[in-house]
Amino acid sequence: MKNLIYFMIIILLSGSLHAQDSGIESILLPSPVFKGKVSIEEVLSKRRSVRHYEDNPLSIDDISQLLWAAYGVTKSHDSPAFLRGGLKTAPSAGALYPLELYLIAWNIDQLKNGIYKYFPEDHSLKLVMFGDKRDGLSAAALGQSWLKDAAGAIVYSAVFSRTSDKYGTRGEERYVCMDLGHSAQNVYLQGVALGIGTCAIGAFNDTELKELMNMPEDETLLYIMPIGKMEE
Ligand SMILES: Cc1cc2nc3c(=O)[nH]c(=O)nc-3n(C[C@H](O)[C@H](O)[C@H](O)COP(=O)(O)O)c2cc1C
């Protein structure tokens, strides 16, 4: 809570500074909950790709829950370092965890518009940059303008070498995207349980989106998953 307040004060003071310039550290997300109101069977039977959203913000609790479901730690281990905090909600070939998750926020309570990176090891977000990125995101997604009606988007990338260094071509051509599928399905399912819709988007311009997000050279973009309150 102290971290959250500190983060909010800094954000209010710093306008639209670039994170690297602003020295802003990270925002600890609220703890996820481990008991929901609907059964896994009901969630599975209702899962659909959703492209229409209510014009309501998502809460920071929603974001915490979705990111935890996607790639949160379920069994803590301090080492080895590549575990980045421990075993996670999604399986990963060799427990090498090649995925990186970002949140692009434009209608999230208590979170200024911008791009944030998710850190599973302490269930935190670190600011990449401020700004409303929804137009740029939609343009990079080959003009899929419906995504702008969401409240934000989870964007997946992967550092392929984490897996291919050990598993070679098989790791590169199969395992990384298998890992992605496991994690992304968790976002779909957790979303249904919370009344939040999403849709996996694979159609986008890699160069444009990487540039928009100021993404490190060694990361390859994989999915955009807009997230927003499902219409009744
Ligand atoms: C690899 C992959 C890429 C996809 N890319 C897009 C996309 O760019 N835009 C879109 O609207 N839906 C996209 N989808 C969602 C599919 O259209 C959707 O899953 C399919 O129509 C089946 O519908 P359902 O998910 O509601 O069962 C993609 C799905 C997958 C698995």
Side-chain angles (χ1 to χ4, degrees):
M1 192 61 190
K2 237 169 78 181
N3 277 344
L4 179 62
I5 292 165
Y6 174 71
F7 182 80
M8 296 310 296
I9 291 169
I10 299 282
I11 280 180
L12 287 172
L13 292 175
S14 57
S16 61
L17 282 176
H18 195 284
Q20 270 104 3
D21 301 326
S22 64
I24 289 168
E25 286 304 315
S26 59
I27 174 170
L28 285 179
L29 290 165
S31 298
V33 297
F34 305 124
K35 208 159 177 60
K37 294 189 181 109
V38 281
S39 70
I40 184 73
E41 292 81 3
E42 191 178 338
V43 163
L44 284 165
S45 69
K46 288 186 173 160
R47 189 215 59 82
R48 216 48 324 122
S49 291
V50 175
R51 300 179 185 84
H52 298 278
Y53 311 96
E54 268 182 12
D55 186 19
N56 283 327
L58 292 182
S59 68
I60 198 77
D61 288 341
D62 292 330
I63 296 305
S64 164
Q65 201 64 34
L66 287 168
L67 290 171
W68 172 80
Y71 225 38
V73 171
T74 48
K75 194 170 182 10
S76 296
H77 287 284
D78 289 340
S79 62
F82 63 77
L83 284 180
R84 286 184 290 146
L87 300 174
K88 300 186 173 50
T89 50
S92 173
L96 292 168
Y97 300 107
L99 304 177
E100 295 290 342
L101 279 75
Y102 292 82
L103 172 72
I104 304 190
W106 60 83
N107 192 12
I108 314 286
D109 274 341
Q110 302 176 57
L111 213 50
K112 192 156 181 174
N113 293 347
I115 302 179
Y116 302 81
K117 193 168 196 171
Y118 176 57
F119 287 80
E121 46 271 61
D122 60 353
H123 196 50
S124 71
L125 289 173
K126 192 167 280 185
L127 184 71
V128 176
M129 69 178 83
F130 288 125
D132 184 340
K133 301 293 172 188
R134 83 188 96 166
D135 285 340
L137 184 64
S138 162
L142 314 182
Q144 299 189 66
S145 56
W146 55 267
L147 71 78
K148 293 194 273 183
D149 297 335
I154 292 172
V155 175
Y156 279 95
S157 70
V159 179
F160 271 66
S161 59
R162 286 183 196 152
T163 302
S164 62
D165 282 356
K166 179 168 183 184
Y167 295 115
T169 311
R170 196 175 183 85
E172 190 166 327
E173 291 181 355
R174 299 188 189 197
Y175 293 170
V176 172
C177 284
M178 290 171 177
D179 278 28
L180 171 72
H182 290 296
S183 175
Q185 178 76 350
N186 288 356
V187 176
Y188 266 104
L189 298 180
Q190 179 69 78
V192 175
L194 297 172
I196 294 168
T198 190
C199 176
I201 294 182
F204 50 81
N205 181 306
D206 293 29
T207 314
E208 220 174 298
L209 187 50
K210 264 194 104 157
E211 212 170 282
L212 178 83
M213 296 182 66
N214 198 15
M215 190 170 273
E217 199 51 41
D218 65 346
E219 292 183 29
T220 303
L221 279 159
L222 292 173
Y223 258 162
I224 302 168
M225 298 186 78
I227 44 174
K229 282 276 177 208
M230 260 191 267
E231 288 176 335
E232 287 299 323

Short mmCIF file of all heavy atoms in Angstrom, two decimals, residues 16-38:
data_model
loop_
_atom_site.label_atom_id
_atom_site.label_comp_id
_atom_site.label_asym_id
_atom_site.label_seq_id
_atom_site.Cartn_x
_atom_site.Cartn_y
_atom_site.Cartn_z
N SER A 16 4.20 13.53 -18.08
CA SER A 16 4.40 12.43 -19.03
C SER A 16 5.89 12.17 -19.25
O SER A 16 6.37 12.08 -20.35
CB SER A 16 3.70 12.73 -20.34
OG SER A 16 4.24 13.90 -20.89
N LEU A 17 6.60 12.05 -18.16
CA LEU A 17 8.02 11.73 -18.24
C LEU A 17 8.24 10.33 -18.77
O LEU A 17 7.41 9.45 -18.60
CB LEU A 17 8.64 11.79 -16.85
CG LEU A 17 8.96 13.14 -16.26
CD1 LEU A 17 9.47 12.96 -14.84
CD2 LEU A 17 9.99 13.84 -17.10
N HIS A 18 9.36 10.13 -19.40
CA HIS A 18 9.74 8.78 -19.79
C HIS A 18 10.29 8.07 -18.55
O HIS A 18 11.03 8.67 -17.78
CB HIS A 18 10.81 8.87 -20.89
CG HIS A 18 11.01 7.59 -21.61
ND1 HIS A 18 11.70 6.55 -21.08
CD2 HIS A 18 10.57 7.18 -22.83
CE1 HIS A 18 11.70 5.55 -21.95
NE2 HIS A 18 11.02 5.90 -23.00
N ALA A 19 9.91 6.80 -18.36
CA ALA A 19 10.28 6.10 -17.13
C ALA A 19 11.78 6.10 -16.88
O ALA A 19 12.22 6.33 -15.76
CB ALA A 19 9.77 4.67 -17.18
N GLN A 20 12.54 5.83 -17.96
CA GLN A 20 13.98 5.76 -17.77
C GLN A 20 14.55 7.07 -17.25
O GLN A 20 15.57 7.09 -16.58
CB GLN A 20 14.68 5.38 -19.09
CG GLN A 20 14.83 3.87 -19.25
CD GLN A 20 13.81 3.36 -20.26
OE1 GLN A 20 13.06 4.12 -20.84
NE2 GLN A 20 13.76 2.05 -20.45
N ASP A 21 13.87 8.17 -17.59
CA ASP A 21 14.35 9.48 -17.14
C ASP A 21 13.86 9.80 -15.74
O ASP A 21 14.46 10.56 -15.01
CB ASP A 21 13.86 10.58 -18.07
CG ASP A 21 14.32 10.34 -19.50
OD1 ASP A 21 15.43 9.80 -19.66
OD2 ASP A 21 13.57 10.66 -20.41
N SER A 22 12.71 9.23 -15.39
CA SER A 22 12.05 9.67 -14.18
C SER A 22 12.54 8.97 -12.93
O SER A 22 12.28 9.44 -11.83
CB SER A 22 10.54 9.42 -14.31
OG SER A 22 10.30 8.04 -14.41
N GLY A 23 13.25 7.85 -13.10
CA GLY A 23 13.76 7.12 -11.95
C GLY A 23 12.67 6.41 -11.18
O GLY A 23 12.87 5.99 -10.05
N ILE A 24 11.48 6.31 -11.74
CA ILE A 24 10.38 5.65 -11.05
C ILE A 24 10.67 4.16 -10.93
O ILE A 24 11.08 3.53 -11.89
CB ILE A 24 9.06 5.87 -11.79
CG1 ILE A 24 8.64 7.32 -11.62
CG2 ILE A 24 7.97 4.94 -11.27
CD1 ILE A 24 7.53 7.71 -12.54
N GLU A 25 10.48 3.65 -9.74
CA GLU A 25 10.75 2.23 -9.53
C GLU A 25 9.55 1.40 -9.93
O GLU A 25 9.14 1.44 -11.07
CB GLU A 25 11.18 2.00 -8.08
CG GLU A 25 12.59 2.48 -7.82
CD GLU A 25 13.62 1.84 -8.76
OE1 GLU A 25 13.56 0.62 -8.96
OE2 GLU A 25 14.47 2.57 -9.28
N SER A 26 8.93 0.71 -8.99
CA SER A 26 7.87 -0.20 -9.43
C SER A 26 6.64 -0.09 -8.55
O SER A 26 6.68 0.47 -7.45
CB SER A 26 8.39 -1.62 -9.45
OG SER A 26 8.83 -1.97 -8.18
N ILE A 27 5.55 -0.60 -9.05
CA ILE A 27 4.30 -0.61 -8.29
C ILE A 27 3.99 -2.05 -7.93
O ILE A 27 3.90 -2.92 -8.81
CB ILE A 27 3.15 0.03 -9.09
CG1 ILE A 27 1.83 -0.13 -8.36
CG2 ILE A 27 3.02 -0.51 -10.50
CD1 ILE A 27 0.71 0.67 -8.95
N LEU A 28 3.87 -2.30 -6.63
CA LEU A 28 3.52 -3.66 -6.19
C LEU A 28 2.02 -3.84 -6.37
O LEU A 28 1.23 -3.01 -5.89
CB LEU A 28 3.88 -3.84 -4.71
CG LEU A 28 5.35 -4.00 -4.38
CD1 LEU A 28 5.54 -4.15 -2.87
CD2 LEU A 28 5.96 -5.21 -5.10
N LEU A 29 1.64 -4.89 -7.06
CA LEU A 29 0.22 -5.14 -7.30
C LEU A 29 -0.41 -5.75 -6.04
O LEU A 29 0.28 -6.41 -5.25
CB LEU A 29 0.04 -6.10 -8.48
CG LEU A 29 0.39 -5.49 -9.85
CD1 LEU A 29 0.55 -6.57 -10.91
CD2 LEU A 29 -0.66 -4.47 -10.27
N PRO A 30 -1.73 -5.55 -5.86
CA PRO A 30 -2.38 -6.21 -4.72
C PRO A 30 -2.26 -7.73 -4.86
O PRO A 30 -2.11 -8.23 -5.97
CB PRO A 30 -3.85 -5.78 -4.83
CG PRO A 30 -3.96 -4.85 -5.98
CD PRO A 30 -2.65 -4.77 -6.69
N SER A 31 -2.34 -8.43 -3.74
CA SER A 31 -2.24 -9.89 -3.80
C SER A 31 -3.41 -10.47 -4.58
O SER A 31 -4.55 -10.00 -4.43
CB SER A 31 -2.27 -10.48 -2.40
OG SER A 31 -1.17 -10.00 -1.70
N PRO A 32 -3.16 -11.49 -5.39
CA PRO A 32 -4.27 -12.13 -6.10
C PRO A 32 -5.12 -12.96 -5.14
O PRO A 32 -4.65 -13.30 -4.04
CB PRO A 32 -3.57 -13.05 -7.11
CG PRO A 32 -2.23 -13.31 -6.51
CD PRO A 32 -1.87 -12.10 -5.70
N VAL A 33 -6.34 -13.25 -5.53
CA VAL A 33 -7.17 -14.14 -4.70
C VAL A 33 -7.17 -15.54 -5.34
O VAL A 33 -7.03 -15.68 -6.55
CB VAL A 33 -8.62 -13.63 -4.53
CG1 VAL A 33 -8.63 -12.30 -3.80
CG2 VAL A 33 -9.33 -13.48 -5.87
N PHE A 34 -7.34 -16.54 -4.49
CA PHE A 34 -7.21 -17.92 -4.97
C PHE A 34 -8.53 -18.68 -4.96
O PHE A 34 -8.56 -19.90 -5.11
CB PHE A 34 -6.16 -18.67 -4.13
CG PHE A 34 -4.82 -17.96 -4.12
CD1 PHE A 34 -4.22 -17.60 -2.93
CD2 PHE A 34 -4.18 -17.63 -5.30
CE1 PHE A 34 -3.00 -16.93 -2.91
CE2 PHE A 34 -2.97 -16.96 -5.32
CZ PHE A 34 -2.37 -16.61 -4.11
N LYS A 35 -9.60 -17.96 -4.73
CA LYS A 35 -10.91 -18.60 -4.76
C LYS A 35 -11.87 -17.69 -5.53
O LYS A 35 -12.00 -16.52 -5.21
CB LYS A 35 -11.42 -18.81 -3.32
CG LYS A 35 -12.35 -19.99 -3.22
CD LYS A 35 -12.42 -20.50 -1.78
CE LYS A 35 -13.41 -21.63 -1.65
NZ LYS A 35 -13.10 -22.80 -2.47
N GLY A 36 -12.52 -18.29 -6.56
CA GLY A 36 -13.44 -17.49 -7.37
C GLY A 36 -14.88 -17.90 -7.15
O GLY A 36 -15.18 -18.75 -6.32
N LYS A 37 -15.77 -17.25 -7.94
CA LYS A 37 -17.21 -17.48 -7.73
C LYS A 37 -17.78 -18.46 -8.74
O LYS A 37 -18.92 -18.90 -8.61
CB LYS A 37 -17.96 -16.14 -7.83
CG LYS A 37 -17.59 -15.18 -6.70
CD LYS A 37 -18.50 -13.96 -6.70
CE LYS A 37 -18.12 -13.01 -5.58
NZ LYS A 37 -17.49 -11.78 -6.01
N VAL A 38 -17.01 -18.79 -9.78
CA VAL A 38 -17.54 -19.72 -10.79
C VAL A 38 -16.61 -20.92 -10.94
O VAL A 38 -15.41 -20.84 -10.70
CB VAL A 38 -17.69 -19.03 -12.18
CG1 VAL A 38 -18.94 -18.18 -12.24
CG2 VAL A 38 -16.48 -18.21 -12.53
#
